[in-house]
Amino acid sequence: MRGLFITFEGPDASGKTTQIDILKKRLENSGMDPLVTREPGGTFVGEKIREILLDKNNAGITPVAEMLLYAASRAQHVSEVIKPALESGRTVISDRFYDSSEAYQGYGRGLGKMVWRVNEPAVDGIWPDLTIMLMADPDDVKGRRADSEKDRMDSESLAFQQRVKKGFEAVAERDSDRILRIDAGKSIEEIADEIAAAVERLAGRKI
């Protein structure tokens, strides 16, 4: 039986990593064997692409080149990691997936529908069963990382980050059956419990 595919989305510094760790431990404690992965990255090739995309010295990457690099990492990720794990029955938790491309490149970079045309072959028919979208205002989270810790995408202008946020909001409204939108300003415990309840409904078991 195909495993569950759960993705985490949202603006940078919205708390995704913390919540992924909590969900992973809850699933493990319930006897499951979740696979946690990330985008860009998740494979040897993908991690090399990640280095290029997030290096602040690569400020000259064009919007189209950026979109293609993310799609290339995703194609490798789906083929090498996500699809085989799901087919083996494992639950896969990914820190970002296609929704991020729509928000960052579609809305943030203004590439619109071109993003899906490029990513359709990359996702290869694989789609999340549940997406947890942690929403935070860029103004509220901009100080969570020191400048020295920020990568190329973190370092983008506030105007860009606001466009990305609008992109995530649009995606969440359009795909509300799949996406659970959560205010990232809630406590860690409140968010974790809300996520667990959604996963329990999807999995049909207590975690």
Side-chain angles (χ1 to χ4, degrees), residues 6-186:
I6 302 169
T7 58
F8 278 72
E9 299 283 3
D12 291 320
S14 57
K16 292 184 288 83
T17 302
T18 298
Q19 293 301 330
I20 288 171
D21 287 343
I22 293 172
L23 177 60
K24 177 178 182 288
K25 290 174 184 174
R26 286 191 171 187
L27 291 173
E28 288 173 340
N29 290 338
S30 71
M32 299 175 72
D33 181 28
L35 171 66
V36 174
T37 187
R38 69 178 183 177
E39 291 199 351
T43 66
F44 179 81
V45 171
E47 292 297 329
K48 293 295 184 182
I49 295 172
R50 182 184 182 89
E51 291 175 13
I52 295 170
L53 283 166
L54 302 186
D55 187 343
K56 286 191 283 190
N57 293 319
N58 294 334
I61 296 177
T62 69
V64 171
E66 180 182 280
M67 172 187 65
L68 292 170
L69 285 167
Y70 275 107
S73 175
R74 181 164 298 124
Q76 191 72 23
H77 194 205
V78 168
S79 176
E80 187 176 331
V81 176
I82 297 175
K83 200 168 188 177
L86 292 174
E87 288 174 349
S88 73
R90 293 185 73 182
T91 292
V92 176
I93 303 170
S94 182
D95 185 348
R96 299 197 181 283
F97 194 61
Y98 170 74
D99 294 322
S100 280
S101 285
E102 188 165 350
Y104 280 88
Q105 284 77 55
Y107 284 80
R109 304 296 188 203
L111 296 179
K113 295 180 179 179
M114 186 191 305
V115 176
W116 174 244
R117 292 199 296 272
V118 167
N119 275 273
E120 185 174 10
V123 302
D124 194 22
I126 296 297
W127 205 243
D129 298 294
L130 172 67
T131 296
I132 308 298
M133 189 171 288
L134 297 174
M135 294 301 298
D137 192 284
D139 274 322
D140 296 334
V141 298
K142 63 182 178 181
R144 290 185 180 178
R145 291 176 183 165
D147 288 343
S148 61
E149 297 175 330
K150 291 181 179 179
D151 58 36
R152 188 178 68 88
M153 301 302 284
D154 292 332
S155 302
E156 284 288 349
S157 68
L158 184 59
F160 173 81
Q161 303 296 351
Q162 291 287 6
R163 292 196 298 274
V164 170
K165 179 174 179 284
K166 288 181 180 178
F168 278 124
E169 289 172 342
V171 171
E173 183 175 351
R174 183 192 66 209
D175 294 343
S176 58
D177 289 345
R178 167 177 62 90
I179 296 174
L180 173 63
R181 176 177 169 165
I182 301 176
D183 178 2
K186 293 180 179 180

